[in-house]
Amino acid sequence: QSALTQPASVSGSPGQSITISCTGTSSNVGSYNFVSWYQQHPGNAPKLMIYEVTKRPSGVSSRFSGSKSGKTASLTISGLQAEDEAYYYCCSFEGRGTSWVFGGGTKLTVL
Amino acid sequence: VQLQESGPGLVTPSQTLSLTCTVSGDSISSGDYYWTWIRQLPGKGLEWIGYIFYTGTTYYSPSLKSRITLSIDTSTHQFSLDLSAFTAADTAIYYCARGSVTAAFDIWGQGTLVTVSS
């Protein structure tokens, strides 16, 4: 059981937008703006896509955006492309214990 | 910047897993980063194991704290993970990663699969 809750799967057609939610607690997502998102293609290491809730690292497409409301963070991918098909993981700093917690991952299928 | 894990792919039950991560292209002695271990259990999500600063200060996952030791050798640009009392439940892909002041992991190694030997 992961500390952060994500839907197991989401899907969308090319060109559409999808949103993946990530629900935590007052010990992590609800208290800190240190939420990050990672994309993982099968056989590869995770890749940082969003950090500090809304910021994109250099080189990450502007089609990826993040937000947060209360204890739930979200990743939105607009203009879906076939290459976006992957697993997505959210992560949050957790003050209790000074640690990091991850979501269980969401499989994105581009139809 | 590149990170590369190295270590055994098989561990005898109850023995200690020892992995090393070699950092190239960046200074492991930078105070801007913390050097992290994360694992991915088969078919499951990611689990943060712990991190170490260049000073040797460490923070460990509460659930693994009793079995983990992290160390760092700035002269060889390496940091290491020791996980004692290895069991089948520890079978996973182990990643080393660079954490930054943004509390995100921006550079990852390719990962190394470690399984328990029968």
Side-chain angles (χ1 to χ4, degrees), chain B residues 48 50-53 55-60 68-72:
Chain B
W48 178 79
Y51 71 77
I52 187 167
F53 281 110
T55 57
T57 298
T58 56
Y59 285 92
Y60 298 149
I68 300 172
T69 302
L70 299 189
S71 58
I72 191 165

mmCIF file of all heavy atoms in Angstrom, chain B residues 48 50-53 55-60 68-72:
data_model
loop_
_atom_site.group_PDB
_atom_site.id
_atom_site.type_symbol
_atom_site.label_atom_id
_atom_site.label_comp_id
_atom_site.label_asym_id
_atom_site.label_seq_id
_atom_site.Cartn_x
_atom_site.Cartn_y
_atom_site.Cartn_z
ATOM 1 N N TRP B 48 11.363 5.073 -1.533
ATOM 2 C CA TRP B 48 12.553 5.821 -1.127
ATOM 3 C C TRP B 48 13.253 5.074 -0.003
ATOM 4 O O TRP B 48 12.621 4.649 0.965
ATOM 5 C CB TRP B 48 12.135 7.210 -0.670
ATOM 6 C CG TRP B 48 13.247 8.072 -0.177
ATOM 7 C CD1 TRP B 48 14.146 8.767 -0.939
ATOM 8 C CD2 TRP B 48 13.586 8.351 1.183
ATOM 9 N NE1 TRP B 48 15.015 9.458 -0.123
ATOM 10 C CE2 TRP B 48 14.688 9.227 1.184
ATOM 11 C CE3 TRP B 48 13.054 7.950 2.412
ATOM 12 C CZ2 TRP B 48 15.271 9.706 2.348
ATOM 13 C CZ3 TRP B 48 13.632 8.428 3.582
ATOM 14 C CH2 TRP B 48 14.732 9.292 3.537
ATOM 15 N N GLY B 50 16.722 6.087 1.249
ATOM 16 C CA GLY B 50 17.460 7.011 2.105
ATOM 17 C C GLY B 50 18.393 7.875 1.285
ATOM 18 O O GLY B 50 18.532 7.692 0.078
ATOM 19 N N TYR B 51 19.010 8.857 1.961
ATOM 20 C CA TYR B 51 19.981 9.678 1.256
ATOM 21 C C TYR B 51 21.118 10.084 2.168
ATOM 22 O O TYR B 51 21.029 9.968 3.392
ATOM 23 C CB TYR B 51 19.328 10.901 0.622
ATOM 24 C CG TYR B 51 18.863 11.999 1.558
ATOM 25 C CD1 TYR B 51 19.760 12.902 2.132
ATOM 26 C CD2 TYR B 51 17.507 12.161 1.821
ATOM 27 C CE1 TYR B 51 19.322 13.925 2.955
ATOM 28 C CE2 TYR B 51 17.062 13.184 2.646
ATOM 29 C CZ TYR B 51 17.969 14.065 3.208
ATOM 30 O OH TYR B 51 17.540 15.076 4.020
ATOM 31 N N ILE B 52 22.191 10.552 1.533
ATOM 32 C CA ILE B 52 23.380 10.961 2.259
ATOM 33 C C ILE B 52 23.920 12.241 1.649
ATOM 34 O O ILE B 52 23.924 12.411 0.439
ATOM 35 C CB ILE B 52 24.442 9.834 2.251
ATOM 36 C CG1 ILE B 52 25.627 10.190 3.142
ATOM 37 C CG2 ILE B 52 24.884 9.492 0.819
ATOM 38 C CD1 ILE B 52 26.544 8.996 3.423
ATOM 39 N N PHE B 53 24.330 13.172 2.510
ATOM 40 C CA PHE B 53 25.015 14.375 2.070
ATOM 41 C C PHE B 53 26.500 14.095 1.940
ATOM 42 O O PHE B 53 27.010 13.136 2.516
ATOM 43 C CB PHE B 53 24.816 15.518 3.064
ATOM 44 C CG PHE B 53 23.494 16.207 2.946
ATOM 45 C CD1 PHE B 53 22.528 16.064 3.931
ATOM 46 C CD2 PHE B 53 23.212 17.036 1.878
ATOM 47 C CE1 PHE B 53 21.304 16.712 3.842
ATOM 48 C CE2 PHE B 53 22.000 17.691 1.776
ATOM 49 C CZ PHE B 53 21.044 17.517 2.763
ATOM 50 N N THR B 55 28.711 15.456 3.488
ATOM 51 C CA THR B 55 29.290 15.521 4.828
ATOM 52 C C THR B 55 29.192 14.190 5.569
ATOM 53 O O THR B 55 29.807 14.005 6.612
ATOM 54 C CB THR B 55 28.545 16.569 5.660
ATOM 55 O OG1 THR B 55 27.154 16.219 5.693
ATOM 56 C CG2 THR B 55 28.727 17.961 5.068
ATOM 57 N N GLY B 56 28.357 13.289 5.026
ATOM 58 C CA GLY B 56 28.124 12.015 5.693
ATOM 59 C C GLY B 56 26.822 11.959 6.466
ATOM 60 O O GLY B 56 26.443 10.911 6.990
ATOM 61 N N THR B 57 26.123 13.093 6.534
ATOM 62 C CA THR B 57 24.813 13.113 7.187
ATOM 63 C C THR B 57 23.838 12.254 6.398
ATOM 64 O O THR B 57 23.783 12.341 5.173
ATOM 65 C CB THR B 57 24.286 14.545 7.269
ATOM 66 O OG1 THR B 57 25.186 15.331 8.057
ATOM 67 C CG2 THR B 57 22.904 14.574 7.906
ATOM 68 N N THR B 58 23.076 11.431 7.115
ATOM 69 C CA THR B 58 22.159 10.504 6.451
ATOM 70 C C THR B 58 20.730 10.632 6.978
ATOM 71 O O THR B 58 20.500 11.066 8.117
ATOM 72 C CB THR B 58 22.610 9.051 6.690
ATOM 73 O OG1 THR B 58 22.712 8.825 8.099
ATOM 74 C CG2 THR B 58 23.938 8.766 6.012
ATOM 75 N N TYR B 59 19.796 10.276 6.121
ATOM 76 C CA TYR B 59 18.391 10.139 6.487
ATOM 77 C C TYR B 59 17.895 8.839 5.870
ATOM 78 O O TYR B 59 18.117 8.579 4.679
ATOM 79 C CB TYR B 59 17.552 11.312 5.979
ATOM 80 C CG TYR B 59 17.746 12.575 6.771
ATOM 81 C CD1 TYR B 59 18.700 13.509 6.380
ATOM 82 C CD2 TYR B 59 17.004 12.834 7.912
ATOM 83 C CE1 TYR B 59 18.899 14.661 7.106
ATOM 84 C CE2 TYR B 59 17.195 13.989 8.644
ATOM 85 C CZ TYR B 59 18.150 14.901 8.236
ATOM 86 O OH TYR B 59 18.340 16.042 8.958
ATOM 87 N N TYR B 60 17.212 8.034 6.669
ATOM 88 C CA TYR B 60 16.778 6.721 6.221
ATOM 89 C C TYR B 60 15.266 6.589 6.278
ATOM 90 O O TYR B 60 14.590 7.203 7.112
ATOM 91 C CB TYR B 60 17.390 5.632 7.113
ATOM 92 C CG TYR B 60 18.896 5.559 7.100
ATOM 93 C CD1 TYR B 60 19.597 5.139 8.231
ATOM 94 C CD2 TYR B 60 19.633 5.877 5.964
ATOM 95 C CE1 TYR B 60 20.980 5.035 8.236
ATOM 96 C CE2 TYR B 60 21.021 5.791 5.960
ATOM 97 C CZ TYR B 60 21.680 5.368 7.103
ATOM 98 O OH TYR B 60 23.047 5.277 7.101
ATOM 99 N N ILE B 68 19.610 -0.461 7.156
ATOM 100 C CA ILE B 68 20.313 0.320 6.132
ATOM 101 C C ILE B 68 21.530 1.036 6.696
ATOM 102 O O ILE B 68 21.488 1.553 7.816
ATOM 103 C CB ILE B 68 19.379 1.397 5.548
ATOM 104 C CG1 ILE B 68 18.158 0.795 4.899
ATOM 105 C CG2 ILE B 68 20.115 2.251 4.523
ATOM 106 C CD1 ILE B 68 17.149 1.863 4.514
ATOM 107 N N THR B 69 22.567 1.057 5.878
ATOM 108 C CA THR B 69 23.692 1.936 6.145
ATOM 109 C C THR B 69 24.115 2.567 4.825
ATOM 110 O O THR B 69 24.348 1.864 3.846
ATOM 111 C CB THR B 69 24.893 1.171 6.728
ATOM 112 O OG1 THR B 69 24.506 0.512 7.938
ATOM 113 C CG2 THR B 69 26.038 2.130 7.028
ATOM 114 N N LEU B 70 24.163 3.895 4.800
ATOM 115 C CA LEU B 70 24.667 4.610 3.632
ATOM 116 C C LEU B 70 26.026 5.213 3.974
ATOM 117 O O LEU B 70 26.248 5.658 5.106
ATOM 118 C CB LEU B 70 23.713 5.729 3.211
ATOM 119 C CG LEU B 70 22.293 5.342 2.802
ATOM 120 C CD1 LEU B 70 21.572 6.552 2.199
ATOM 121 C CD2 LEU B 70 22.290 4.198 1.822
ATOM 122 N N SER B 71 26.901 5.240 2.976
ATOM 123 C CA SER B 71 28.218 5.834 3.158
ATOM 124 C C SER B 71 28.608 6.563 1.886
ATOM 125 O O SER B 71 28.015 6.344 0.827
ATOM 126 C CB SER B 71 29.250 4.757 3.507
ATOM 127 O OG SER B 71 29.293 3.768 2.494
ATOM 128 N N ILE B 72 29.605 7.442 2.010
ATOM 129 C CA ILE B 72 30.034 8.217 0.858
ATOM 130 C C ILE B 72 31.542 8.360 0.875
ATOM 131 O O ILE B 72 32.158 8.481 1.957
ATOM 132 C CB ILE B 72 29.343 9.602 0.845
ATOM 133 C CG1 ILE B 72 29.557 10.315 -0.492
ATOM 134 C CG2 ILE B 72 29.775 10.458 2.027
ATOM 135 C CD1 ILE B 72 28.623 11.497 -0.696
#
